[in-house]
Amino acid sequence: MYTDTERCVRAVQSKDARFDGWFFTAVLTTRIYCRPSCPVVPPKVENMTFYPSAAACQQAGFRACKRCRPDTSPGSPEWNARADSVARAMRLIGDGVVDREGVPGLAARLGYSARQIERQLLAELGAGPLALARAQRAQTARLLIETTGLPMADVAFAAGFSSVRTFNDTVREVFALAPGELRTRAARSAKPPATPGVIALRLPYRAPLNPSNLFGHLAATAVPGVEEWRDGAYRRTLTLPHGHGIVALTPRPDHIACRLFLTDPRDLTLAISRCRWLLDLDADPVAVDDRLRADPLLAPLVDKAPGRRVPRTVDGAEFAVRAVLGQQVSTAAARTHAARLVTAHGVPVDDPEGGGLTHLFPVPEALAGLDPERLALPRSRRTTLTTLVGALADGSLRLGTDTDWTKARAELTTLPGFGPWTVEVIAMRALGDPDAFLPTDLGIRRAAAELGLPSTPAALTARAAAWRPWRAYAVQYLWTVDDHPINHLPA
C-alpha cells in the first residue's frame, strides 16, 4: 500500500480513516508523521513520503503528530489476513513477545533464525523487530502515563523499557514531549476512573462495526464466573504472564471503551492485544463486505447490517476446550459444562467492581490431571477432551495468534473426535483464519436453504469459493438468518 504514492496521496487529501494503520504519512518539512485521516490541512504532495509502520517513521527521524496521534491507529488488517512468517511475527510483537523473550525468542517461535526475521521485517515494514517493539513500548508508556497515576519509574519498567533514561529519551523522541508533560496535558481533560487501579482507554477500529453479532455472540456463550454481560459491557477475566486481569468492553459509535484492571501493569500490552484480537478490531470491513456483496444472495444480508466482525477468543487453548464441550449440545448445555470445569479447576479471583467474575478459565496444565469419570459427558467426548488437554499441556499442540493455520488444522484432525466442524471453528475463532468455513454447521445449512444457496456441504463449499478469503465473515452473515441470541445485544 505505502508504495502506491498516488493512492496514498488521495487517501490523505480525502482524510480517509479506512486507511489508518495501512500506512503512515511523514512530512519532510516538519519532520512529523501522521495517520491518513489527520484533521490538519494536508501537506503539499512533494513534502509527503509514506511508510508502512510507525516504527519505520520513528527510525527515519520523524515524531508523532500531537493532533491525530498516529500511534493509536488500528493495526494493519494485512496481519490478520495472512499466515506467513511476517504476519505471525507482527502478531507476536503485538503480544509483547520481544519484550519478554527478546528477538531470539521471537525467532524460535517462528522457526527461523533471528537474521531471517530481521531481514523479512525490514523488507516489508522498514523496521526490524527491536524497532517495532520500541514503537509499541512507547505507545504502552503513553497509555500508562495518561491513564494511571503510577510513578514514572514504574511506568518505564511496566512498558518494557530497560531503564528510566531509555524511557525518557524514547518518549521525548517519539512524542516531542517529556513524560511529565504528557501526563499534565492528559490531566486537563481526563476524568479519573471510578475504581482505583483501573486503566480506561479507547480501542479504535475501522468503520463500520456492527456490535450485534460480536457482543451478542460473546454474551450468549459466556461461561459463568469467567464472562458476563453487565451494564452494557462484556466483562471477562484474563490469564496473563505476570498475574491476571479483568476487562470490560463497551461498544461506542466510534470506538470500544475498554476498562482494564491488572494485577501487574507489565501485562498492559498483552491485555490490549488480546482485547483487539477478541473483537477483531483490526479488520478491514469495507474490503470484506465488498467481496461478499458481490454474491447477489449474500448482498441483502450485508446491506442490512454491514461491518460484522468475527468474535474470537483471548486464549486459543481455552476456546479449543470450550469447542469440545460444545460439540453436539445446545449453547446453554455448553455453558453449563464449562462452568463446572471452571468451578472445579479454575483459579479464584476477586472482582474489584463487584460483578459476577469469580474465576480464571483453567489452563491446560490444571486440566491435565482431571478424572474423566467425573465429567458429565459421553465417553467418546471425555476421550476427546482429555486427549486435547494432554496435547496442549505438553506443548505438542499450540494454538496461538502465531500458529500456522495449515499445520494446526492437520494436528487437530489427528486427535480423536475432531471432525471438520470442530477444526474449522477453532481455526476461525482461536487462530483467526478469516477464511475458515463451516459448511456442516446446522445454522449455516438452514440459512443456505432459506437464501437459495446450495445446502449440501460439498455444493456450498464450491459456491463459497467466490467469497474467499473472507468466508469466516460470510459465516457471521449467514448465522443472522436464524433468530438466535448470538445475533442480538443483550437488553
Side-chain angles (χ1 to χ4, degrees), residues 223-227 236-239 244-246 318 338-351 356-362:
V223 176
V226 175
E227 304 166 285
R236 73 155 292 150
T237 58
L238 303 170
T239 300
H244 71 269
I246 290 177
E318 173 191 317
R340 289 172 181 163
L341 210 62
V342 166
T343 302
H345 301 279
V347 176
V349 298
D350 293 324
D351 188 338
L357 303 181
T358 59
H359 288 80
L360 302 176
F361 196 91

Side-chain angles (χ1 to χ4, degrees), residues 8 52 87 100 112 131 160 186 208 230 240 277 356 375 387 405 464 468 473:
C8 290
R100 295 193 301 274
Y112 291 89
R230 178 168 172 259
L240 300 165
W277 180 259
L375 297 172
T387 305
W405 299 334
R468 306 189 77 166
Y473 294 87

